[in-house]
Every structure is written in C-alpha cells, then in structure tokens.
C-alpha cells in the first residue's frame, strides 16, 4: 500500500507544475497556508530548526516573491511572514493541475465499475485514518 501511495504522490507531483522549492521551503509555505502568518522564530520552533536555519529557508522565498514580511503589530521588533498572492495562486494552480490529471486518469483508465470499487476503497481507507 505504501508503495502505491508513494507512486501516486510522485505522479501527482509531476503533474502539479514545476517547483524549484526545497522540501523545507515547501513545508514552510504549507505551514503558512495552514496556520497563517508567523515569525521566523515560531516557524523554526514548529519545524524543529534553529532560527538561523529557518532564515536561510525563508530568505529565498522572500526573494522569489512567494513570502513577505511585515512588522508584527503587537511587537514591532518581530516580523510576521505570510504568503503573497503570487504564492497562493501557484498553490491553487498546482492543486488544480493535479486534480485535473487525477480525474482524467481515473476516467480514462478505470471502468465505471472499477471507479465504484475505488470509491469504496477510499471510504475504507478514510475509516482507517479517521479518529
């Protein structure tokens, strides 16, 4: 099962648009998307890194226009990092491309009966992971 999911993840990644981001940068982008604005220090704590190491991850994101920093309104010494509209659009476009590929592939490669079986299997897998 893990092998199949790994292959599916790789195929989805192939069809989600080109990304030159490192795994650490992807993690930061997804964290900011999920949790909202954060300081470099709080990102570092969350990701289990030193603040200096997190700065090395965040700076290229800023330089590429994916992340921006603004002074923290509650503590002007801190900078809150957040995703830019450019980054949000890239995330949206990548997800749409992956969804399109998956939908097209399922309808092209699987019969209606097989699609029903896939839906049933997904329901079972969902039960496995839901608490």
């Amino acid at each position: 099962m893990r092998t199949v999911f790994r292959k599916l993840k790789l195929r989805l990644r192939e069809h989600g648009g080109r990304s030159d981001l490192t795994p650490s940068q992807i993690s930061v982008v997804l964290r900011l998307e999920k949790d909202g604005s954060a300081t470099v220090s709080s990102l570092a704590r969350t990701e289990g890194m030193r603040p200096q190491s997190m700065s090395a991850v965040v700076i290229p994101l800023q330089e590429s226009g994916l992340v921006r920093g603004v002074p923290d309104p509650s503590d002007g010494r801190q900078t809150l990092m957040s995703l830019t509209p450019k980054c949000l659009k890239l995330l949206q476009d990548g997800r749409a491309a992956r969804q399109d590929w998956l939908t097209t592939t399922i309808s092209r490669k699987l019969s209606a009966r097989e699609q029903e079986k896939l839906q049933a299997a997904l329901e079972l897998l969902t039960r496995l992971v839901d608490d």
Side-chain angles (χ1 to χ4, degrees):
M1 190 172 0
R2 285 184 9 216
T3 302
V4 171
F5 284 135
R6 182 179 176 282
K7 285 180 180 180
L8 178 60
K9 183 177 177 180
L10 290 172
R11 292 297 302 270
L12 287 168
R13 193 176 295 158
E14 286 172 17
H15 292 88
R18 189 159 150 43
S19 173
D20 294 330
L21 300 180
T22 66
S24 294
Q25 290 169 330
I26 292 169
S27 182
V28 166
V29 165
L30 295 177
R31 171 87 43 209
L32 289 172
E33 181 189 33
K34 179 180 176 252
D35 297 341
S37 300
T39 64
V40 170
S41 297
S42 66
L43 287 170
R45 272 192 306 279
T46 304
E47 296 294 319
M49 300 172 75
R50 295 187 344 258
Q52 298 84 352
S53 299
M54 182 56 70
S55 290
V57 171
V58 170
I59 288 171
L61 291 171
Q62 284 182 287
E63 291 171 348
S64 64
L66 299 176
V67 171
R68 68 170 172 235
V70 295
D72 184 340
S74 62
D75 182 355
R77 299 169 298 168
Q78 296 282 336
T79 301
L80 288 175
M81 308 310 294
S82 62
L83 301 180
T84 63
K86 173 184 175 181
C87 185
L88 293 170
K89 180 157 178 28
L90 286 172
L91 289 171
Q92 181 182 15
D93 291 349
R95 288 181 180 132
R98 288 188 296 275
Q99 183 63 46
D100 287 347
W101 173 82
L102 186 57
T103 301
T104 301
T105 303
I106 288 171
S107 64
R108 187 171 38 90
K109 289 190 170 187
L110 301 180
S111 68
R113 175 108 170 103
E114 289 171 326
Q115 290 178 38
E116 290 173 10
K117 287 181 181 180
L118 178 60
Q119 180 63 40
L122 288 173
E123 290 170 11
L124 293 174
L125 288 169
T126 300
R127 282 184 25 211
L128 287 177
V129 298
D130 283 348
D131 290 335

